[in-house]
Amino acid sequence: MGGMETQALIELTLIALAAGAFGGVIAGLLGVGGGIVIVPALYFALSLTGMDPALTMQVAVGTSLSTIVFTSLSSGIGHHRRGAIDTALLRRWVPWIIVGVILGSLVGGYVSGWVLVAVFATIALFVALDMILRKPSGNVEPRSFPAAAWAGFGVFAGAVSAMMGIGGGTVCVPLLNFLGYDIRRAVGTSAAIGFVIGLPGAVIYAMTGLGQEGLPPLSLGYVNLYLAAVIIPLSTWLAGYGVRLAHSIDRRKLRMAFGIFLLLTSIRMWIDLAGA
């Protein structure tokens, strides 16, 4: 990218490639869209370029959302073929998730990047502890809630996911599991939700970042097109492998893998916040 030193560009590209590969596997395995890997990876990589720290998180989040559009499609199709997507739940939930995505993206595009780091680290920590420590219930029948409650769940999940730059699985998987959905069905449905979150979220981050000074070259607002082009092919391809893995390992191991990864991510983000 013009205007960036060769060494920094090489480092940025290598980190983006690794994030795309790992993020794709995680997307299929955990239904998270890959953003839970891609956001901290891009945040770290962009920090190495000397970019204004106040903009680093916005670019990481916006770019991550753009990659989720493609990764979640690949992951969602794989889970759908295995019958792991609850279409009735999608019809009930998607409109409210979109409302939440719009609100969360608008907030995320204008607040300080450190606010996004704090949101990311806090939510990831609580979700990790829940997934690691809570004993799974023997009941896997979905619980009944009024329409207003589902609307609230949807707005919350969409808003937090858009602010964190993730596909929704970080919030939706543990929430659906808590509400009585089987973990594999929760993962599959959350993978499909990632597309609903990624597309409007990426568009809004691109629009709110237009004209912003100090962005890296080849950026459309807060979405960096170069990094997205590096990440998308690998993440989309490897999401299918993650889907196969999700349907072949023990449910408890799936929960633990999800929780441990989120815990490590949260700790890393809190270290950055402490040093800010």
Side-chain angles (χ1 to χ4, degrees):
M1 291 187 289
M4 184 176 292
E5 294 183 3
T6 303
Q7 181 64 27
L9 177 58
I10 293 174
E11 292 175 351
L12 194 60
T13 302
L14 290 176
I15 293 174
L17 285 170
F22 191 36
V25 175
I26 292 295
L29 175 62
L30 304 178
V32 297
I36 197 69
V37 177
I38 294 169
V39 170
L42 292 186
Y43 172 79
F44 172 72
L46 290 168
S47 299
L48 298 177
T49 68
M51 181 181 169
D52 182 356
L55 299 176
T56 302
M57 194 64 175
Q58 272 99 340
V59 175
V61 169
T63 304
S64 172
L65 287 169
S66 71
T67 69
I68 286 168
V69 174
F70 300 91
T71 308
S72 60
L73 271 178
S74 175
S75 176
I77 290 171
H79 284 290
H80 178 67
R81 288 172 177 167
R82 294 171 180 267
I85 294 181
D86 191 320
T87 54
L89 174 60
L90 287 179
R91 289 193 296 269
R92 174 194 303 163
W93 223 13
V94 162
W96 297 109
I97 287 177
I98 293 175
V99 171
V101 169
I102 294 172
L103 294 175
S105 297
L106 289 173
V107 172
Y110 289 109
V111 301
S112 165
W114 293 117
V115 174
L116 299 185
V117 176
V119 170
F120 193 105
T122 301
I123 298 296
L125 177 61
F126 279 110
V127 172
L129 293 177
D130 173 74
M131 297 298 278
I132 293 172
L133 300 178
R134 181 165 55 87
K135 294 182 178 179
S137 170
N139 176 31
V140 293
E141 289 296 323
R143 303 178 188 179
S144 177
F145 287 92
W150 280 108
F153 293 149
V155 172
F156 172 77
V160 171
S161 297
M163 291 185 69
M164 294 175 69
I166 57 177
T170 305
V171 179
C172 295
V173 169
L175 177 59
L176 290 177
N177 194 228
F178 175 75
L179 296 177
Y181 285 81
D182 174 78
I183 184 64
R184 291 195 180 100
R185 202 161 184 81
V187 166
T189 304
S190 295
I193 288 172
F195 178 79
V196 177
I197 292 172
L199 184 57
V203 170
I204 294 174
Y205 271 89
M207 293 175 62
T208 55
L210 290 176
Q212 176 68 54
E213 296 182 0
L215 295 174
L218 297 181
S219 290
L220 179 62
Y222 291 126
V223 176
N224 187 264
L225 302 179
Y226 172 75
L227 292 173
V230 170
I231 292 170
I232 288 170
L234 270 177
S235 65
T236 303
W237 174 47
L238 290 174
Y241 174 77
V243 170
R244 293 194 296 272
L245 192 59
H247 288 267
S248 64
I249 66 175
D250 179 73
R251 288 179 174 83
R252 177 60 180 164
K253 291 179 180 177
L254 185 57
R255 286 175 56 88
M256 288 297 294
F258 190 94
I260 292 172
F261 179 78
L262 281 184
L263 180 61
L264 294 175
T265 300
S266 177
I267 290 172
R268 170 64 187 178
M269 302 301 272
W270 278 114
I271 291 174
D272 287 348
L273 280 169

